[in-house]
């Protein structure tokens, strides 16, 4: 299974040049509207808008995850289980699944169009008002940034471990019978993650600590105001369509 998860697509586009905080706000507004007004007209508008954003961002089709057949099989089973409850239940199930996929894709758009190094400073700037309440904004921003940076590495390590395990010879029938692939992969992944975390901690300390991760100078500009105005207009249009419908 080949996919691009939480990695920036290295192309030049107006979306890539936006401030990371602008994208976070835009995704929050879109998901908020979809969550509060989950209807087919609203979802249709949001999907169309996301397609336009993907084109403007020059994201290739290969960016979209190629999900395994088991995922689609589970979705089909869920739809079949809702058939006895009537057509309305099936439509509601489809609406819920579409809503969930939209929320995931909007979140991925941030990763596909934003360098990971810009996430923590943007979150720290957006959360600056919370410092008055003694909220550890910088620490939270660092945790989110490191999580986003570490997940792709973890996924890649799991793929390598899975491939290596397939190549490992099985000496006897007893070993084959007692072999548990899930336990083996999880154990190896935990060991690799612990080693990676130690190396990452040493690298951050050598570069001046976690404070350096949020010290990147970043701020919104005129293009960010234009982008947020467009997103706000889409959200207002979705609200109007919902009440008119």
């Amino acid at each position: 299974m080949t996919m691009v998860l939480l990695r920036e697509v290295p192309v030049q586009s107006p979306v890539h040049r936006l401030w990371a905080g602008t994208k976070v706000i835009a995704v929050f507004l879109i998901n908020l509207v979809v969550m509060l007004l989950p209807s087919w007209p609203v979802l249709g508008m949001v999907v169309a808008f996301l397609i336009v954003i993907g084109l403007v961002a020059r994201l290739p089709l290969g960016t979209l995850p190629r999900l395994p057949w088991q995922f689609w099989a589970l979705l089909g089973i869920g739809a079949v289980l809702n058939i006895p409850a009537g057509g309305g239940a099936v439509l509601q199930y489809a609406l819920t699944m579409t809503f969930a996929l939209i929320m995931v894709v909007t979140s991925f758009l941030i990763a596909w169009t934003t360098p990971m190094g810009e996430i923590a400073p943007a979150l720290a700037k957006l959360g600056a008002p919370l410092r008055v309440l003694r909220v550890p904004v910088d620490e939270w921003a660092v945790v989110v940034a490191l999580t986003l940076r570490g997940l792709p590495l973890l996924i890649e390590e799991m793929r390598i471990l899975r491939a290596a395990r397939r190549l490992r010879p099985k000496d006897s029938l007893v070993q084959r019978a007692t072999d548990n692939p899930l336990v083996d992969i999880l154990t190896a992944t935990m060991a690799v993650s612990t080693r990676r975390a130690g190396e990452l901690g040493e690298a951050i300390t050598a570069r001046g600590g976690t404070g350096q991760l949020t010290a990147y100078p970043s701020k919104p500009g005129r293009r960010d105001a234009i982008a947020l105005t467009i997103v706000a207009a889409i959200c207002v249009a979705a609200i109007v369509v919902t009440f008119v419908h």
Side-chain angles (χ1 to χ4, degrees), residues 154-172:
L154 181 60
I155 293 173
E156 187 64 25
E157 289 285 358
M158 292 183 68
R159 292 178 60 187
I160 294 174
L161 291 172
R162 184 180 179 186
R165 189 183 178 282
R166 288 179 177 176
L167 297 176
R168 188 185 66 183
K170 295 179 175 59
D171 299 328
S172 63

Side-chain angles (χ1 to χ4, degrees), residues 40-216:
W40 286 115
V42 172
L43 295 184
M45 291 183 61
V46 171
V47 169
F49 180 66
L50 293 179
I51 292 175
V52 172
I53 293 299
L55 295 175
V56 174
R58 301 174 58 191
L59 298 175
L61 290 177
T63 304
L64 294 174
R66 295 180 178 90
L67 300 175
W69 66 268
Q70 293 91 339
F71 174 81
W72 302 110
L74 289 175
L75 287 184
I77 293 173
V80 171
L81 293 176
N82 281 277
I83 290 178
V90 176
L91 288 177
Q92 186 62 37
Y93 172 77
L95 183 71
T96 303
M97 292 298 101
T98 305
F99 160 71
L101 290 175
I102 286 176
M103 294 192 70
V104 172
V105 171
T106 52
S107 301
F108 282 171
L109 278 174
I110 298 178
W112 291 336
T113 60
T114 310
M116 289 295 101
E118 296 181 6
I119 298 294
L123 293 177
K125 186 175 289 292
L126 290 175
L130 296 177
R131 292 194 179 96
V132 178
L133 303 176
R134 297 185 181 276
V135 175
V137 175
D138 291 339
E139 288 77 3
W140 288 2
V142 169
V143 169
V144 173
L146 292 180
T147 300
L148 293 175
R149 181 67 184 91
L151 277 177
L153 298 176
L154 181 60
I155 293 173
E156 187 64 25
E157 289 285 358
M158 292 183 68
R159 292 178 60 187
I160 294 174
L161 291 172
R162 184 180 179 186
R165 189 183 178 282
R166 288 179 177 176
L167 297 176
R168 188 185 66 183
K170 295 179 175 59
D171 299 328
S172 63
L173 293 176
V174 175
Q175 183 178 356
R176 295 181 184 179
T178 59
D179 195 21
N180 190 325
L182 181 60
V183 173
D184 291 345
I185 292 178
L186 288 179
T187 302
T189 301
M190 290 178 63
V192 172
S193 300
T194 302
R195 177 176 58 82
R196 287 273 191 180
E199 294 174 352
L200 182 60
E202 294 176 359
I204 292 175
T205 302
R207 288 169 172 79
T210 57
Q212 298 297 321
L213 298 177
T214 57
Y216 183 83

